[in-house]
Amino acid sequence: TGGAFYPLDPRPEEIDIRDIAQALSMSCRYGGHCKRFYSVAEHSVLMATKAPAGLELATLLHDASEAYLQDVIRPVKVHLTNYIEIENRLMAVIADKFGFAWPMPAEVKKLDEAMIGAERDQAVNFPKGKDWSQWKPVPPLNVTIEFWSPTLAEGAFLGAFYRYGGKA
């Protein structure tokens, strides 16, 4: 939308689902280290299709802060001393604005780990012989990653937002 936003001082009135959808559709998972472009928006939409009833919107928006902060890969994120605090503060505002619980319910975190399993198998290039123990050994989520274009991902994300009861 082109509006001002202050990530360290998030204000609900400055958060717009259109900005979230557009930014996540243009953000590649894993810092771009994928077989093909694979957006955070597609990741979120696919996860939401497998969410338990009543958790679809929260699941869809579980990475919404990345629209404003970017997707920091896990091996780096754990070393950024205040990033998680900044991310949690922003997610609390997003959750309040769109009406879902924060911190995320355990079911959403479990889905995210299973989604990472699907991504490991379908979207990410793995060096042979590397230790990937940070990728928890959970069964992969039963989804097919299609490597949507940003335009398709943005539309699918917005469609899912309204389908799951989101109110802009």
Side-chain angles (χ1 to χ4, degrees):
T1 60
F5 187 78
Y6 305 90
L8 301 180
D9 183 23
R11 301 166 193 160
E13 65 274 11
E14 295 169 352
I15 295 170
D16 191 297
I17 194 61
R18 296 170 298 171
D19 291 331
I20 293 170
Q22 194 272 338
L24 296 184
S25 74
M26 300 286 284
S27 298
C28 191
R29 295 273 293 157
Y30 303 100
H33 295 275
C34 298
K35 294 176 183 177
R36 294 176 46 201
F37 177 79
Y38 170 55
S39 72
V40 175
E42 182 177 356
H43 159 87
S44 299
V45 171
L46 291 174
M47 272 184 60
T49 66
K50 301 297 184 178
L55 289 179
E56 298 96 343
L57 186 63
T59 302
L60 179 72
L61 295 173
H62 79 283
D63 282 336
S65 63
E66 294 175 12
Y68 301 103
L69 300 177
Q70 296 302 301
D71 183 12
V72 176
I73 59 175
R74 283 185 183 199
V76 173
K77 186 185 284 190
V78 296
H79 298 286
L80 301 177
T81 56
N82 65 339
Y83 180 87
I84 293 171
E85 174 188 330
I86 293 166
E87 181 179 48
N88 283 331
R89 187 176 331 124
L90 176 54
M91 279 302 300
V93 173
I94 292 169
D96 187 55
K97 176 171 179 108
F98 295 119
F100 62 90
W102 184 260
M104 284 289 166
E107 297 92 340
V108 176
K109 292 180 181 184
K110 185 177 175 183
L111 273 174
D112 203 21
E113 292 301 325
M115 188 67 198
I116 288 171
E119 292 164 347
R120 174 197 62 219
D121 296 344
Q122 298 177 49
V124 180
N125 290 314
F126 276 92
K128 302 287 186 241
K130 275 295 239 183
D131 174 26
W132 290 96
S133 58
Q134 75 266 21
W135 294 58
K136 295 181 177 49
V138 298
L141 197 61
N142 184 22
V143 296
T144 300
I145 297 169
E146 297 180 1
F147 304 97
W148 298 337
S149 70
T151 303
L152 179 59
E154 181 176 358
F157 188 93
L158 286 171
F161 176 78
Y162 292 111
R163 186 171 52 258
Y164 297 134
K167 307 234 185 310

